[in-house]
Amino acid sequence: MNQHDTTFLQLAIAQARQGLSEGGIPIGAALVTGDTVLGVGHNRRIQLGSPIRHGETDALENAGRQTAATYRSSTMYTTLSPCDMCTGAILLYDIPRVVIGENTTFLGGEAYLKSRGVDVIVADDKECIALMTDFIIENPSLWNEDIGEEDNV
């Protein structure tokens, strides 16, 4: 991680905080190429009643249509290890680099991303870990719904 990565990961963290303040799941993301922020987003499944608006997919939606070359020169910053759906979106658009805030509370498709040539960096950010740990403890049913697990509470 370099200063550039730290700066843009903070955008994703700000989005996670925003999602939490809206009553949603605190996962945020930012799609960046060079020094240009193409789009930021946060998990809005609860707010929109959507099955697919995770942080990464929301950032992609907010970035709008981009050229293949733009995606191929971008980095996805996300506060949490990407789930299978978001991993697929990263691969679909050939985004070559992903910076992840944390993978302690949830380990997504990182191995698959790496196997497909994506540069994956995990920051082990304490704030990202705390946001998700607290949310999961306080909202286990919402968390299980978000990751497609049975609710055992």
Side-chain angles (χ1 to χ4, degrees):
M1 288 249 318
N2 55 40
Q3 186 57 44
H4 191 78
D5 292 333
T6 301
T7 298
F8 292 122
L9 183 57
Q10 286 301 311
L11 288 176
I13 292 170
Q15 285 291 305
R17 282 192 227 111
Q18 181 178 338
L20 184 62
S21 75
E22 296 170 355
I25 298 168
I27 303 168
L31 183 64
V32 177
T33 186
D35 289 329
T36 303
V37 177
L38 300 174
V40 297
H42 53 278
N43 185 306
R44 297 195 307 157
R45 290 185 69 250
I46 294 166
Q47 299 91 313
L48 297 177
S50 169
I52 62 169
R53 286 306 265 279
H54 284 193
E56 299 90 338
T57 57
D58 196 48
L60 285 164
E61 176 72 17
N62 291 331
R65 292 174 58 194
Q66 301 294 325
T67 66
T70 298
Y71 290 122
R72 289 183 183 132
S73 65
S74 296
T75 298
M76 178 65 78
Y77 293 87
T78 180
T79 59
L80 185 64
S81 184
C83 71
D84 289 341
M85 177 177 64
C86 295
T87 293
I90 290 163
L91 293 172
L92 175 68
Y93 292 108
D94 209 11
I95 297 169
R97 190 166 181 269
V98 179
V99 175
I100 298 167
E102 67 104 348
N103 63 5
T104 303
T105 59
F106 178 79
L107 180 60
E110 294 174 35
Y112 188 52
L113 288 168
K114 289 176 186 177
S115 78
R116 296 282 302 271
V118 176
D119 183 19
V120 176
I121 295 116
V122 180
D124 288 324
D125 184 88
K126 291 182 187 335
E127 183 175 3
C128 292
I129 294 168
L131 277 167
M132 284 310 303
T133 300
D134 293 346
F135 182 83
I136 292 167
I137 290 168
E138 294 169 13
N139 303 280
S141 293
L142 289 176
W143 173 242
N144 285 332
E145 176 189 328
D146 195 64
I147 60 172
E149 296 290 331
E150 289 295 323
D151 192 5
N152 296 322
V153 289

mmCIF file of all heavy atoms in Angstrom, residues 4-40:
data_model
loop_
_atom_site.group_PDB
_atom_site.id
_atom_site.type_symbol
_atom_site.label_atom_id
_atom_site.label_comp_id
_atom_site.label_asym_id
_atom_site.label_seq_id
_atom_site.Cartn_x
_atom_site.Cartn_y
_atom_site.Cartn_z
ATOM 1 N N HIS A 4 -1.189 6.840 -2.131
ATOM 2 C CA HIS A 4 -2.286 6.884 -3.098
ATOM 3 C C HIS A 4 -3.391 5.907 -2.674
ATOM 4 O O HIS A 4 -4.570 6.256 -2.625
ATOM 5 C CB HIS A 4 -1.701 6.514 -4.467
ATOM 6 C CG HIS A 4 -2.582 6.737 -5.639
ATOM 7 N ND1 HIS A 4 -2.785 7.968 -6.188
ATOM 8 C CD2 HIS A 4 -3.291 5.860 -6.387
ATOM 9 C CE1 HIS A 4 -3.600 7.847 -7.235
ATOM 10 N NE2 HIS A 4 -3.915 6.581 -7.369
ATOM 11 N N ASP A 5 -2.986 4.673 -2.347
ATOM 12 C CA ASP A 5 -3.941 3.652 -1.921
ATOM 13 C C ASP A 5 -4.634 4.050 -0.618
ATOM 14 O O ASP A 5 -5.842 3.869 -0.483
ATOM 15 C CB ASP A 5 -3.244 2.305 -1.731
ATOM 16 C CG ASP A 5 -2.762 1.696 -3.028
ATOM 17 O OD1 ASP A 5 -3.353 1.986 -4.090
ATOM 18 O OD2 ASP A 5 -1.791 0.924 -2.988
ATOM 19 N N THR A 6 -3.874 4.572 0.311
ATOM 20 C CA THR A 6 -4.449 4.989 1.593
ATOM 21 C C THR A 6 -5.506 6.071 1.387
ATOM 22 O O THR A 6 -6.588 6.015 1.979
ATOM 23 C CB THR A 6 -3.335 5.506 2.531
ATOM 24 O OG1 THR A 6 -2.382 4.450 2.723
ATOM 25 C CG2 THR A 6 -3.887 5.939 3.865
ATOM 26 N N THR A 7 -5.219 7.023 0.519
ATOM 27 C CA THR A 7 -6.163 8.108 0.237
ATOM 28 C C THR A 7 -7.464 7.573 -0.341
ATOM 29 O O THR A 7 -8.559 7.939 0.114
ATOM 30 C CB THR A 7 -5.534 9.118 -0.737
ATOM 31 O OG1 THR A 7 -4.383 9.692 -0.116
ATOM 32 C CG2 THR A 7 -6.513 10.210 -1.122
ATOM 33 N N PHE A 8 -7.371 6.696 -1.320
ATOM 34 C CA PHE A 8 -8.580 6.204 -1.975
ATOM 35 C C PHE A 8 -9.324 5.167 -1.133
ATOM 36 O O PHE A 8 -10.548 5.074 -1.224
ATOM 37 C CB PHE A 8 -8.273 5.693 -3.379
ATOM 38 C CG PHE A 8 -7.878 6.814 -4.306
ATOM 39 C CD1 PHE A 8 -6.660 6.793 -4.952
ATOM 40 C CD2 PHE A 8 -8.715 7.897 -4.502
ATOM 41 C CE1 PHE A 8 -6.297 7.834 -5.803
ATOM 42 C CE2 PHE A 8 -8.357 8.944 -5.333
ATOM 43 C CZ PHE A 8 -7.139 8.911 -5.990
ATOM 44 N N LEU A 9 -8.602 4.419 -0.301
ATOM 45 C CA LEU A 9 -9.292 3.519 0.618
ATOM 46 C C LEU A 9 -10.120 4.344 1.609
ATOM 47 O O LEU A 9 -11.221 3.921 1.999
ATOM 48 C CB LEU A 9 -8.305 2.606 1.356
ATOM 49 C CG LEU A 9 -8.942 1.582 2.292
ATOM 50 C CD1 LEU A 9 -9.931 0.674 1.560
ATOM 51 C CD2 LEU A 9 -7.864 0.761 2.985
ATOM 52 N N GLN A 10 -9.645 5.518 1.976
ATOM 53 C CA GLN A 10 -10.417 6.390 2.873
ATOM 54 C C GLN A 10 -11.744 6.815 2.237
ATOM 55 O O GLN A 10 -12.738 6.988 2.945
ATOM 56 C CB GLN A 10 -9.593 7.611 3.281
ATOM 57 C CG GLN A 10 -8.498 7.307 4.284
ATOM 58 C CD GLN A 10 -9.040 6.712 5.568
ATOM 59 O OE1 GLN A 10 -9.986 7.219 6.164
ATOM 60 N NE2 GLN A 10 -8.448 5.603 5.991
ATOM 61 N N LEU A 11 -11.774 6.975 0.923
ATOM 62 C CA LEU A 11 -13.041 7.264 0.243
ATOM 63 C C LEU A 11 -14.021 6.107 0.419
ATOM 64 O O LEU A 11 -15.214 6.320 0.663
ATOM 65 C CB LEU A 11 -12.828 7.509 -1.248
ATOM 66 C CG LEU A 11 -12.155 8.794 -1.678
ATOM 67 C CD1 LEU A 11 -11.958 8.792 -3.187
ATOM 68 C CD2 LEU A 11 -12.960 9.991 -1.239
ATOM 69 N N ALA A 12 -13.512 4.898 0.279
ATOM 70 C CA ALA A 12 -14.364 3.722 0.459
ATOM 71 C C ALA A 12 -14.857 3.638 1.903
ATOM 72 O O ALA A 12 -16.030 3.318 2.148
ATOM 73 C CB ALA A 12 -13.603 2.456 0.060
ATOM 74 N N ILE A 13 -13.993 3.948 2.858
ATOM 75 C CA ILE A 13 -14.384 3.915 4.269
ATOM 76 C C ILE A 13 -15.460 4.963 4.538
ATOM 77 O O ILE A 13 -16.439 4.698 5.250
ATOM 78 C CB ILE A 13 -13.160 4.095 5.178
ATOM 79 C CG1 ILE A 13 -12.235 2.870 5.063
ATOM 80 C CG2 ILE A 13 -13.583 4.325 6.630
ATOM 81 C CD1 ILE A 13 -10.875 3.030 5.724
ATOM 82 N N ALA A 14 -15.309 6.142 3.962
ATOM 83 C CA ALA A 14 -16.335 7.188 4.124
ATOM 84 C C ALA A 14 -17.674 6.703 3.571
ATOM 85 O O ALA A 14 -18.736 6.962 4.152
ATOM 86 C CB ALA A 14 -15.898 8.481 3.440
ATOM 87 N N GLN A 15 -17.642 5.974 2.469
ATOM 88 C CA GLN A 15 -18.870 5.421 1.900
ATOM 89 C C GLN A 15 -19.469 4.363 2.829
ATOM 90 O O GLN A 15 -20.690 4.295 2.992
ATOM 91 C CB GLN A 15 -18.589 4.809 0.525
ATOM 92 C CG GLN A 15 -18.399 5.824 -0.570
ATOM 93 C CD GLN A 15 -19.700 6.541 -0.874
ATOM 94 O OE1 GLN A 15 -20.715 5.923 -1.173
ATOM 95 N NE2 GLN A 15 -19.677 7.858 -0.788
ATOM 96 N N ALA A 16 -18.624 3.547 3.447
ATOM 97 C CA ALA A 16 -19.123 2.539 4.393
ATOM 98 C C ALA A 16 -19.822 3.220 5.566
ATOM 99 O O ALA A 16 -20.901 2.793 5.989
ATOM 100 C CB ALA A 16 -17.975 1.667 4.886
ATOM 101 N N ARG A 17 -19.208 4.284 6.077
ATOM 102 C CA ARG A 17 -19.825 5.033 7.178
ATOM 103 C C ARG A 17 -21.167 5.624 6.752
ATOM 104 O O ARG A 17 -22.127 5.632 7.517
ATOM 105 C CB ARG A 17 -18.902 6.143 7.654
ATOM 106 C CG ARG A 17 -17.782 5.653 8.538
ATOM 107 C CD ARG A 17 -17.094 6.854 9.209
ATOM 108 N NE ARG A 17 -15.676 6.710 9.072
ATOM 109 C CZ ARG A 17 -14.866 7.459 8.326
ATOM 110 N NH1 ARG A 17 -15.343 8.468 7.635
ATOM 111 N NH2 ARG A 17 -13.581 7.223 8.278
ATOM 112 N N GLN A 18 -21.231 6.124 5.522
ATOM 113 C CA GLN A 18 -22.482 6.687 5.010
ATOM 114 C C GLN A 18 -23.564 5.619 4.954
ATOM 115 O O GLN A 18 -24.701 5.842 5.354
ATOM 116 C CB GLN A 18 -22.284 7.319 3.638
ATOM 117 C CG GLN A 18 -23.561 7.937 3.080
ATOM 118 C CD GLN A 18 -23.354 8.609 1.735
ATOM 119 O OE1 GLN A 18 -22.255 8.978 1.373
ATOM 120 N NE2 GLN A 18 -24.432 8.762 0.998
ATOM 121 N N GLY A 19 -23.206 4.447 4.430
ATOM 122 C CA GLY A 19 -24.166 3.348 4.367
ATOM 123 C C GLY A 19 -24.695 2.979 5.741
ATOM 124 O O GLY A 19 -25.899 2.772 5.922
ATOM 125 N N LEU A 20 -23.818 2.924 6.719
ATOM 126 C CA LEU A 20 -24.236 2.611 8.083
ATOM 127 C C LEU A 20 -25.179 3.684 8.622
ATOM 128 O O LEU A 20 -26.203 3.363 9.233
ATOM 129 C CB LEU A 20 -23.009 2.464 8.987
ATOM 130 C CG LEU A 20 -23.282 2.042 10.431
ATOM 131 C CD1 LEU A 20 -23.932 0.667 10.486
ATOM 132 C CD2 LEU A 20 -21.965 2.060 11.223
ATOM 133 N N SER A 21 -24.863 4.942 8.336
ATOM 134 C CA SER A 21 -25.712 6.043 8.824
ATOM 135 C C SER A 21 -27.105 6.020 8.192
ATOM 136 O O SER A 21 -28.052 6.551 8.749
ATOM 137 C CB SER A 21 -25.047 7.399 8.569
ATOM 138 O OG SER A 21 -25.121 7.757 7.212
ATOM 139 N N GLU A 22 -27.222 5.377 7.021
ATOM 140 C CA GLU A 22 -28.512 5.248 6.329
ATOM 141 C C GLU A 22 -29.277 4.006 6.779
ATOM 142 O O GLU A 22 -30.346 3.716 6.246
ATOM 143 C CB GLU A 22 -28.286 5.162 4.813
ATOM 144 C CG GLU A 22 -27.689 6.402 4.202
ATOM 145 C CD GLU A 22 -27.258 6.203 2.752
ATOM 146 O OE1 GLU A 22 -27.341 5.050 2.232
ATOM 147 O OE2 GLU A 22 -26.815 7.187 2.139
ATOM 148 N N GLY A 23 -28.711 3.256 7.711
ATOM 149 C CA GLY A 23 -29.351 2.026 8.166
ATOM 150 C C GLY A 23 -28.956 0.810 7.363
ATOM 151 O O GLY A 23 -29.589 -0.240 7.464
ATOM 152 N N GLY A 24 -27.907 0.957 6.563
ATOM 153 C CA GLY A 24 -27.456 -0.140 5.714
ATOM 154 C C GLY A 24 -26.233 -0.850 6.249
ATOM 155 O O GLY A 24 -25.792 -0.622 7.379
ATOM 156 N N ILE A 25 -25.676 -1.685 5.418
ATOM 157 C CA ILE A 25 -24.508 -2.492 5.761
ATOM 158 C C ILE A 25 -23.253 -1.672 5.441
ATOM 159 O O ILE A 25 -23.130 -1.130 4.337
ATOM 160 C CB ILE A 25 -24.546 -3.823 4.993
ATOM 161 C CG1 ILE A 25 -25.809 -4.584 5.428
ATOM 162 C CG2 ILE A 25 -23.286 -4.640 5.240
ATOM 163 C CD1 ILE A 25 -26.165 -5.770 4.595
ATOM 164 N N PRO A 26 -22.313 -1.553 6.383
ATOM 165 C CA PRO A 26 -21.170 -0.650 6.213
ATOM 166 C C PRO A 26 -20.056 -1.200 5.327
ATOM 167 O O PRO A 26 -18.982 -1.565 5.802
ATOM 168 C CB PRO A 26 -20.690 -0.434 7.650
ATOM 169 C CG PRO A 26 -21.015 -1.720 8.335
ATOM 170 C CD PRO A 26 -22.316 -2.177 7.710
ATOM 171 N N ILE A 27 -20.345 -1.248 4.047
ATOM 172 C CA ILE A 27 -19.332 -1.655 3.069
ATOM 173 C C ILE A 27 -19.297 -0.575 1.995
ATOM 174 O O ILE A 27 -20.328 -0.226 1.427
ATOM 175 C CB ILE A 27 -19.658 -3.021 2.440
ATOM 176 C CG1 ILE A 27 -19.797 -4.097 3.520
ATOM 177 C CG2 ILE A 27 -18.583 -3.402 1.419
ATOM 178 C CD1 ILE A 27 -20.386 -5.397 3.020
ATOM 179 N N GLY A 28 -18.108 -0.045 1.743
ATOM 180 C CA GLY A 28 -17.967 1.011 0.750
ATOM 181 C C GLY A 28 -16.917 0.664 -0.280
ATOM 182 O O GLY A 28 -16.084 -0.225 -0.073
ATOM 183 N N ALA A 29 -16.964 1.372 -1.404
ATOM 184 C CA ALA A 29 -16.020 1.111 -2.491
ATOM 185 C C ALA A 29 -15.794 2.376 -3.305
ATOM 186 O O ALA A 29 -16.609 3.303 -3.280
ATOM 187 C CB ALA A 29 -16.552 -0.002 -3.401
ATOM 188 N N ALA A 30 -14.686 2.378 -4.014
ATOM 189 C CA ALA A 30 -14.365 3.456 -4.945
ATOM 190 C C ALA A 30 -13.639 2.859 -6.142
ATOM 191 O O ALA A 30 -12.741 2.030 -5.980
ATOM 192 C CB ALA A 30 -13.483 4.506 -4.267
ATOM 193 N N LEU A 31 -14.039 3.264 -7.332
ATOM 194 C CA LEU A 31 -13.367 2.856 -8.561
ATOM 195 C C LEU A 31 -12.539 4.043 -9.025
ATOM 196 O O LEU A 31 -13.071 5.140 -9.227
ATOM 197 C CB LEU A 31 -14.382 2.459 -9.635
ATOM 198 C CG LEU A 31 -13.790 1.947 -10.946
ATOM 199 C CD1 LEU A 31 -13.022 0.639 -10.735
ATOM 200 C CD2 LEU A 31 -14.886 1.760 -11.987
ATOM 201 N N VAL A 32 -11.234 3.811 -9.174
ATOM 202 C CA VAL A 32 -10.294 4.899 -9.441
ATOM 203 C C VAL A 32 -9.376 4.510 -10.592
ATOM 204 O O VAL A 32 -8.907 3.374 -10.662
ATOM 205 C CB VAL A 32 -9.446 5.199 -8.176
ATOM 206 C CG1 VAL A 32 -8.419 6.278 -8.440
ATOM 207 C CG2 VAL A 32 -10.339 5.575 -6.997
ATOM 208 N N THR A 33 -9.128 5.464 -11.478
ATOM 209 C CA THR A 33 -8.101 5.275 -12.492
ATOM 210 C C THR A 33 -7.131 6.444 -12.390
ATOM 211 O O THR A 33 -7.552 7.601 -12.411
ATOM 212 C CB THR A 33 -8.700 5.130 -13.915
ATOM 213 O OG1 THR A 33 -7.659 4.806 -14.826
ATOM 214 C CG2 THR A 33 -9.434 6.351 -14.375
ATOM 215 N N GLY A 34 -5.854 6.135 -12.213
ATOM 216 C CA GLY A 34 -4.869 7.187 -11.975
ATOM 217 C C GLY A 34 -5.244 7.962 -10.726
ATOM 218 O O GLY A 34 -5.424 7.387 -9.659
ATOM 219 N N ASP A 35 -5.404 9.276 -10.872
ATOM 220 C CA ASP A 35 -5.844 10.128 -9.767
ATOM 221 C C ASP A 35 -7.311 10.509 -9.892
ATOM 222 O O ASP A 35 -7.793 11.368 -9.159
ATOM 223 C CB ASP A 35 -4.999 11.415 -9.730
ATOM 224 C CG ASP A 35 -3.576 11.152 -9.281
ATOM 225 O OD1 ASP A 35 -3.367 10.217 -8.484
ATOM 226 O OD2 ASP A 35 -2.666 11.884 -9.731
ATOM 227 N N THR A 36 -8.012 9.877 -10.824
ATOM 228 C CA THR A 36 -9.406 10.224 -11.090
ATOM 229 C C THR A 36 -10.348 9.217 -10.443
ATOM 230 O O THR A 36 -10.277 8.017 -10.725
ATOM 231 C CB THR A 36 -9.675 10.265 -12.606
ATOM 232 O OG1 THR A 36 -8.780 11.208 -13.206
ATOM 233 C CG2 THR A 36 -11.109 10.658 -12.903
ATOM 234 N N VAL A 37 -11.229 9.720 -9.599
ATOM 235 C CA VAL A 37 -12.265 8.877 -8.998
ATOM 236 C C VAL A 37 -13.406 8.784 -10.002
ATOM 237 O O VAL A 37 -14.037 9.788 -10.335
ATOM 238 C CB VAL A 37 -12.761 9.478 -7.663
ATOM 239 C CG1 VAL A 37 -13.884 8.629 -7.093
ATOM 240 C CG2 VAL A 37 -11.614 9.614 -6.672
ATOM 241 N N LEU A 38 -13.641 7.590 -10.499
ATOM 242 C CA LEU A 38 -14.715 7.378 -11.471
ATOM 243 C C LEU A 38 -16.068 7.263 -10.788
ATOM 244 O O LEU A 38 -17.082 7.715 -11.320
ATOM 245 C CB LEU A 38 -14.442 6.117 -12.292
ATOM 246 C CG LEU A 38 -13.141 6.112 -13.094
ATOM 247 C CD1 LEU A 38 -12.934 4.745 -13.722
ATOM 248 C CD2 LEU A 38 -13.166 7.203 -14.144
ATOM 249 N N GLY A 39 -16.081 6.627 -9.621
ATOM 250 C CA GLY A 39 -17.331 6.461 -8.895
ATOM 251 C C GLY A 39 -17.079 5.892 -7.517
ATOM 252 O O GLY A 39 -16.134 5.134 -7.312
ATOM 253 N N VAL A 40 -17.921 6.276 -6.588
ATOM 254 C CA VAL A 40 -17.895 5.708 -5.241
ATOM 255 C C VAL A 40 -19.272 5.123 -4.965
ATOM 256 O O VAL A 40 -20.260 5.487 -5.615
ATOM 257 C CB VAL A 40 -17.527 6.754 -4.163
ATOM 258 C CG1 VAL A 40 -16.119 7.291 -4.378
ATOM 259 C CG2 VAL A 40 -18.539 7.889 -4.131
#
